[in-house]
Amino acid sequence: MIMYANYIPTVCMEEKKTMARNKYPEETLNQILTVSLNLFMEKGYEHTSIQDIINGLGGLTKGAVYHHFKSKEEILQAVIGRLNQGVDEVYASIRDDKSLNGHEKLRKIFRVSLNDHSKPEMTSTIPNLLDNPRMLAALLRNITEESVPKYIQPIIEHGLADGSIKTDYPKELSEVLMLMGNLWLNPLVFSDTTENALRKCRFLQQVLLGLGFDLLDDQMIERCGQLFRVYNEKA
Amino acid sequence: MIMYANYIPTVCMEEKKTMARNKYPEETLNQILTVSLNLFMEKGYEHTSIQDIINGLGGLTKGAVYHHFKSKEEILQAVIGRLNQGVDEVYASIRDDKSLNGHEKLRKIFRVSLNDHSKPEMTSTIPNLLDNPRMLAALLRNITEESVPKYIQPIIEHGLADGSIKTDYPKELSEVLMLMGNLWLNPLVFSDTTENALRKCRFLQQVLLGLGFDLLDDQMIERCGQLFRVYNEKA
DNA sequence: TAATACATACCTTCAGTTGGTATTAAAGTT
DNA sequence: AACTTTAATACCAACTGAAGGTATGTATTA
């Protein structure tokens, strides 16, 4: 549920005086990505036109956009890439933390997934990802092709080696964990009430206990409740 | 995983002699839906143009399409609706079957989900739904907004009443069951090898046993293996 | 001087519209 | 029952507009 956390909703970029060329082009590039991400989240990728993006920029034109990106699709990929990069760094640091065993790493992954979400103050309403198919697909793809094979599964296999995790199905467990945590418990996908979210957490806790894992404690569940409370307040 | 089963891949409609008007317009309508479904599955919704659909029809023109549907989006909705309708009828008949208790109904749902998939002979390659965001979103939406509340959850609550199912989380269990069965074990989304699919099944069996449910037996798991074998053969 | 960072104008593709025509079904007439 | 009239239907052909993308030019920086 960490994904799509680090984006800043609808804060308009300050307009620059028209200059023919920016000395620091990566500012422009970042601005395009930021504006695009906000629009993609608010209106959805397919309902965001290039003109919408241009309007969100400070006086820049289509030429600028197509100088940095060769298509709208490429903008999307870059936006997704930046989102994933943020998650990747967090996951990687946990995976490579020598001071934790596998089980502790898994818990930490869960914990930060809940924390990292609380920071952005949501000014605008964020529509459900079910109405934003491209972003939804990107989320699922990131889970299956990045998070699981690069981080979760290695962590679980490390846990198998150090004895802190026991399972005959490391890959399957990884996938299910991520599907539960990042899809089923994602307020952007399942816009549950706080109460429903808490029930989900407790059910997940029970499922994991049935598999012999004590991953979710009451504090983490309460944190999840808070997360949903924040999300539901701005509705 | 039953969804998207009843579509017939790339069998071209026989061309009718140009007639100014069809006496039986619902033939035309069905033809549009069939052609569209095939194209949407093969090329994806966004990469299918109205012209592609028209080309798949037997000499009909754009006017015909826009006479029956007022937008491309509406064609999609109709296509999805027809797919969902097929699933709905099967699920409803099981839900309303007085001769089964709740637990038996759940098992039957799982069983038919595996059977109904084997019938279409896939002539064309079906790309992954991750590359077909609109259809993926439709699948997820159908799970959360149709299958779970209308069928699975009522069945589980019926099972609670008749004592064949025990859980404190009927809704949560419903959602997780459907996510596992229709998304995670869906070859259109997770294109696993047969061996991987079997491992998933056995893991799922273990999870369910941990919750006190004996839903998956070895025969059903083998059936799932067959399902994936069929899918992987045409690749 | 060459590459870069844009701007402007144009092109293309595709969803959707408009106005018409032939066909069918229904209603009225004999 | 046959025949005409009428209205709705099923479709066709040509057009429109919006949006993604391109080509070319220009000022700026390295």
Side-chain angles (χ1 to χ4, degrees), chain A residues 53-68:
Chain A
I53 296 174
I54 294 165
N55 294 341
L57 272 25
L60 291 174
T61 67
K62 189 177 284 195
V65 174
Y66 278 95
H67 170 69
H68 292 284

Side-chain angles (χ1 to χ4, degrees), chain B residues 214-232:
Chain B
D214 186 20
L215 272 179
L216 291 174
D217 55 38
D218 290 348
Q219 189 193 349
M220 284 160 72
I221 292 179
E222 182 44 43
R223 209 115 186 72
C224 186
Q226 265 184 318
L227 169 63
F228 274 81
R229 217 167 284 130
V230 171
Y231 260 84
N232 293 329

Side-chain angles (χ1 to χ4, degrees), chain B residues 32 50 54 61-72:
Chain B
I32 294 175
I50 295 289
I54 294 164
T61 67
K62 188 176 285 195
V65 173
Y66 278 94
H67 170 70
H68 291 285
F69 302 94
K70 70 178 209 281
S71 68
K72 188 183 167 189

Side-chain angles (χ1 to χ4, degrees), chain A residues 81-132:
Chain A
R82 218 175 48 160
L83 281 176
N84 292 347
Q85 193 190 347
V87 183
D88 278 28
E89 285 166 6
V90 177
Y91 282 7
S93 77
I94 296 175
R95 179 196 57 192
D96 301 331
D97 187 337
K98 298 289 184 187
S99 73
L100 302 174
N101 66 27
H103 186 262
E104 290 163 339
K105 287 178 183 177
L106 264 192
R107 286 188 67 129
K108 189 162 182 184
I109 292 257
F110 263 71
R111 201 172 0 246
V112 299
S113 295
L114 296 174
N115 283 350
D116 261 320
H117 237 319
S118 43
K119 50 182 168 186
E121 338 87 40
M122 308 290 173
T123 60
S124 65
T125 310
I126 302 170
N128 196 286
L129 279 193
L130 286 178
D131 299 316
N132 200 346

